[in-house]
Amino acid sequence: MTDRPTKHRTVAVDVDAIPEAAHGGIPWPWYAIATIGALAVLAAGWLLMAGITALGWLTSPEAELNDALLLASDVLLLAHGVPVEVGGTPVSIMPLGLSLIMVVLALPVANLAARQAAGTKPGDGEAGRTRAQAQAIVARVAGTMAITHGVSAAILATALGVPGGTLRALLGGVVLSGVAGLWGASMAVSFDFRRDWPGWVRAVPMAMSAAVLVCLAGGAVVLASALIAHRGRIGEIHAALEPGIAGTIILVLVQLLYLPNLVLWATAWVLGAGITLGDDSLLTMSVTDVGFLPAIPVFGAVGEPGLGGGVLLWWLLVGVVAGLVAAIMVVMARPRARFDETALVGGLSGVVAGLLITVLCSLAGGGLGAARLAHVGPVVQQLVIVAPTLLGLSGLVGGALLGLLRRPRTDAPVEAEEPLDSTNP
């Protein structure tokens, strides 16, 4: 037997010539990812609602599957701001929970599409791109997703024959995917839209966001307190419905879809504007005046009719704290700014935050029927006044005081403030 000689062969491989798919990437162009991803987000929203309505169909012997799937489509349109009819009853209040779910699902799609357009991987940062190139990538990805989502939702509304729903669905889809596209794509290519702003304005978005989060946290605490305090009544309403196991699951899921709405309702109450639950009804810190309410368990959290005031007025401090937080964010972002600048930006941040809260609360309200329940939710006409005023004044005063306390000594040299970059807001 002879031994087989062994020979070693050296093969040179051009790594750059290996297809991107071999490195674990997706060999699709960015526009395919953005388009298919936007459609997938819309489909995911429909599948979520179809699962809930199909559960109701399975437990109801008189229901038909076609009606259950049509209901899922109606609720999906409702999440885009399209008024629909549910069981012959007009409903226009958006399930903001479903809207937020679609935004969250669209974020990674936008991020992946932007990285594909830029030819980068996670963690590459700027990767030699100019600001104009990064801006163009963000605009293309966000625009593609927004148009795809909007047109698809408009086609669905047209196919279902929803009166006046085509334009509303188009606008709702553009807003939902547009916001997610701008956010996700900007993070992917490290694009900071504030970079060319004047220095005193660059602190406004962070300060405004912090103030809004404080107000929403206050609203969430009020809502949780009401649910805990009136849990017995909520349980009684639920038991009276006799929903069974499947019905209980459906009730819980539907109420969770409207949980962001309820938080915004409570936020309007915290800021002093109040909530209406139909004609001639009002819930404020000073008075609770309500009549007949729908047999929905969560409405059991509404207190007994009567006068309030007193200790409840302390909840207004949530708005004051929100304005002060905005002022603190301003001072932290520009520690060497003059007190007049910190006062101006703190007040501006509070006013803009109050206006943003008003917009969000206006989206949280709507109709749960005709006649008396044609509108339920925050009293926007009052909120548009009290929210910017309360947050703006507290931000103005807080910014001025903090600016004076942190003002540099006149005998100490003041260094030129470094420009704000994308990593240090």
Side-chain angles (χ1 to χ4, degrees):
M1 172 179 280
T2 60
D3 295 334
R4 178 180 298 177
T6 58
K7 296 182 179 180
H8 299 280
R9 299 174 61 189
T10 302
V11 180
V13 179
D14 186 1
V15 178
D16 295 333
I18 299 177
E20 187 177 0
H23 293 288
I26 297 179
W28 294 353
W30 69 267
Y31 50 83
I33 298 174
T35 303
I36 297 174
L39 293 174
V41 168
L42 190 62
W46 183 85
L47 287 173
L48 175 62
M49 294 312 306
I52 297 176
T53 57
L55 181 61
W57 165 71
L58 289 172
T59 57
S60 178
E62 299 180 357
E64 295 183 2
L65 180 59
N66 185 50
D67 293 335
L69 298 181
L70 286 176
L71 178 58
S73 300
D74 287 336
V75 178
L76 180 64
L77 290 177
L78 192 59
H80 290 78
V82 180
V84 298
E85 286 192 3
V86 179
T89 301
V91 178
S92 61
I93 182 170
M94 296 174 59
L96 292 180
L98 180 57
S99 305
L100 287 175
I101 288 174
M102 287 188 287
V103 170
V104 171
L105 291 177
L107 283 175
V109 174
N111 192 284
L112 179 59
R115 286 193 280 108
Q116 193 75 353
T120 60
K121 298 179 179 61
D124 284 353
E126 293 288 349
R129 290 182 302 276
T130 65
R131 177 172 174 79
Q133 291 172 333
Q135 185 175 4
I137 291 172
V138 172
R140 289 197 298 265
V141 170
T144 301
M145 293 183 62
I147 292 174
T148 302
H149 191 149
V151 171
S152 302
I155 292 174
L156 177 62
T158 304
L160 295 178
V162 179
T166 302
L167 183 58
R168 285 176 174 267
L170 175 64
L171 180 60
V174 167
V175 172
L176 289 179
S177 273
V179 170
L182 291 173
W183 189 359
S186 297
M187 291 189 297
V189 297
S190 302
F191 175 73
D192 186 0
F193 62 92
R194 302 168 301 164
R195 183 174 297 179
D196 295 333
W197 290 9
W200 67 275
V201 181
R202 275 178 266 175
V204 171
M206 290 297 296
M208 175 194 68
S209 301
V212 170
L213 289 176
V214 170
C215 292
L216 293 178
V221 171
V222 168
L223 176 62
S225 301
L227 292 174
I228 294 173
H230 300 96
R231 60 186 181 277
R233 186 187 307 163
I234 295 173
E236 292 174 0
I237 297 175
H238 181 84
L241 294 174
E242 298 181 354
I245 297 177
T248 298
I249 296 174
I250 294 174
L251 274 174
V252 170
L253 291 177
V254 170
Q255 290 176 100
L256 285 176
L257 290 178
Y258 281 99
L259 181 59
N261 300 66
L262 298 176
V263 171
L264 288 169
W265 291 16
T267 301
W269 185 90
V270 162
L271 295 178
I275 308 166
T276 178
L277 296 176
D279 292 341
D280 300 325
S281 71
L282 186 64
L283 279 75
T284 65
M285 296 179 186
S286 58
V287 63
T288 298
D289 183 12
V290 295
F292 172 77
L293 294 176
I296 301 175
V298 72
F299 282 128
V302 177
E304 295 291 340
L307 298 178
V311 68
L312 294 180
L313 295 177
W314 285 101
W315 282 108
L316 289 172
L317 287 177
V318 171
V320 176
V321 172
L324 292 177
V325 168
I328 292 173
M329 296 297 294
V330 168
V331 175
M332 290 178 59
R334 298 181 63 80
R336 290 180 292 275
R338 301 190 309 270
F339 76 94
D340 55 340
E341 181 180 319
T342 57
L344 175 62
V345 183
L348 177 62
S349 301
V351 170
V352 176
L355 292 175
L356 178 58
I357 291 173
T358 303
V359 172
L360 294 176
C361 287
S362 67
L363 296 175
L368 281 177
R372 187 177 183 278
L373 295 177
H375 179 75
V376 296
V379 183
V380 179
Q381 297 88 341
Q382 296 182 15
L383 187 63
V384 73
I385 298 174
V386 298
T389 301
L390 181 61
L391 272 68
L393 285 177
S394 56
L396 177 69
V397 174
L401 292 177
L402 291 172
L404 287 172
L405 292 175
R406 300 195 62 174
R407 185 174 58 180
R409 296 179 303 174
T410 56
D411 57 343
V414 180
E415 299 178 0
E417 188 171 354
E418 296 180 358
L420 191 67
D421 57 23
S422 59
T423 60
N424 186 24

